[in-house]
Amino acid sequence: MASMRDIKRRKASIQSTSQITKAMKLVSTVKLQKAKGRAEETKPYFNKMYQTVSGMLARTGGGDSPYRAADSDGPKKKGVILITSNRGLAGGYNSNVVKLITQGDFDTENTVIFPVGRKGLEAVQRMGYTCTGDFSEVMNKPLFGDAVTIGKTVSGALESGEIDEVYLAYTVFKNTVTQIPTLIKMLPFSEEDIEEMKTEETAPEEKKGAVALMNYEPEEEETLGYIIPLYLNSLIFGALVEAAASENGARMQAMDSATSNAEEMIDTLGLQYNRARQAAITQELTEIVAGASAIS
């Protein structure tokens, strides 16, 4: 059994840690409320943007552009926008997103990572992935301009042939308790994707409503060349906002669990301290009685 001094020191250390985790939980709660409201406000716009672009592609077939998948028998170079946090102490938030890459169909030779967040950057670098740029500062306060910067970098790599496909790995904020790691393919649009969009567009009118004709001014290719980068930027910004809310939700839950565990450990150490104290008192009384008996 540990001595009373050791138990007392450990108890004091855990109490100090508990105060820190409790404070971090309160800070994360305040940040979560702001991030949650922002995510809820922006989600309808980005959902509508996705529906609009999907409808356009369903009617036009995507055209001949770098945003439409080309036929190729060789391995495709994949680019992944990986959104994590700059700080830890958020439970499995960062590791769950990284696993989407490391345990998925993304080998180190044919994958380029565009990291947003230091934790994800450090994790994929240790595993040998090639990283382009470092957008970690974006997660401090995501802005649409930051999404535009990331989108331009990724679009440039796609148009230059450095990568053939663009994926987005982030965490969807469902509620305070639940955050869902998600991987979606953003570009290019394959024939299967376009056919699926056409199927959705030709659903019965009683479910979808009347489908309006679509005219382009200027030409179709020029219009798509403008709207698809905007679509890309919109999805990236939506993911940044969702990830910010998810990070604070995960950290709040992690700090709440840590505080609860610390309180349980403090109670356990309190019992151990009392038992050690009682044992010491009993031993002293036994020694006194034994000494008195020896004298008499």
Side-chain angles (χ1 to χ4, degrees):
M1 180 181 293
S3 65
M4 289 189 292
R5 179 180 297 179
D6 293 338
I7 295 174
K8 194 172 182 179
R9 286 178 178 174
R10 188 180 180 192
K11 184 177 179 181
S13 176
I14 295 175
Q15 286 175 334
S16 177
T17 303
S18 175
Q19 292 175 354
I20 295 173
T21 57
K22 190 177 295 184
M24 291 182 66
K25 176 190 173 183
L26 294 176
V27 172
S28 297
T29 302
V30 174
K31 290 184 177 180
L32 173 62
Q33 295 304 318
K34 295 180 180 179
K36 178 182 176 182
R38 194 180 183 193
E40 291 175 347
E41 290 173 358
T42 55
K43 184 176 291 187
Y45 168 77
F46 300 115
N47 289 340
K48 193 63 178 179
M49 170 63 76
Y50 178 76
Q51 294 172 6
T52 301
V53 174
S54 300
M56 293 174 64
L57 291 170
R59 294 179 177 86
T60 63
D64 296 325
S65 72
Y67 304 117
R68 184 175 181 179
D71 295 332
S72 176
D73 296 332
K76 294 183 178 180
K77 197 79 171 180
K78 300 177 181 179
V80 183
I81 303 171
L82 178 62
I83 302 178
T84 57
S85 67
N86 291 329
R87 298 179 298 156
L89 299 177
Y93 169 77
N94 293 305
S95 60
N96 289 337
V97 182
V98 173
K99 285 178 182 177
L100 295 175
I101 310 302
T102 59
Q103 297 182 2
D105 188 22
F106 298 90
D107 58 85
T108 56
E109 294 181 359
N110 297 306
T111 303
V112 177
I113 305 294
F114 299 88
V116 184
R118 293 191 187 93
K119 291 300 179 180
L121 171 62
E122 294 170 357
V124 295
Q125 280 183 336
R126 285 194 302 268
M127 298 178 184
Y129 286 89
T130 301
C131 296
T132 299
D134 181 5
F135 307 98
S136 299
E137 296 302 322
V138 171
M139 292 310 299
N140 293 333
K141 187 177 181 181
L143 300 174
F144 188 77
D146 300 322
V148 172
T149 301
I150 299 171
K152 287 182 178 178
T153 302
V154 175
S155 296
L158 182 65
E159 293 173 0
S160 66
E162 182 182 348
I163 57 176
D164 300 314
E165 299 176 347
V166 180
Y167 293 82
L168 179 63
Y170 70 108
T171 305
V172 173
F173 179 80
K174 186 174 181 180
N175 53 52
T176 306
V177 179
T178 306
Q179 300 87 34
I180 306 172
T182 304
L183 177 69
I184 62 173
K185 182 181 179 182
M186 302 176 68
L187 292 173
F189 298 98
S190 64
E191 293 292 342
E192 292 79 6
D193 296 332
I194 293 174
E195 288 299 323
E196 183 178 349
M197 295 172 189
K198 288 181 179 179
T199 302
E200 293 178 356
E201 285 295 319
T202 56
E205 290 190 3
E206 60 269 15
K207 295 182 179 180
K208 297 289 292 184
V211 179
L213 297 175
M214 187 171 291
N215 296 321
Y216 293 94
E217 181 66 33
E219 297 299 323
E220 174 183 320
E221 292 301 322
E222 187 175 351
T223 303
L224 288 175
Y226 170 78
I227 197 68
I228 290 181
L230 182 59
Y231 148 86
L232 184 70
N233 299 337
S234 299
L235 287 188
I236 293 173
F237 181 63
L240 291 173
V241 174
E242 290 263 356
S246 298
E247 176 190 348
N248 286 295
R251 181 168 291 111
M252 186 189 74
Q253 289 297 316
M255 293 301 99
D256 181 60
S257 297
T259 302
S260 299
N261 292 337
E263 291 174 352
E264 291 179 3
M265 293 180 67
I266 290 171
D267 292 340
T268 301
L269 289 172
L271 292 175
Q272 292 180 1
Y273 180 83
N274 290 335
R275 288 173 183 171
R277 182 169 174 271
Q278 290 173 359
I281 293 172
T282 302
Q283 183 178 357
E284 289 179 1
L285 290 174
T286 302
E287 292 175 354
I288 291 172
V289 172
S293 299
I295 293 173
S296 60

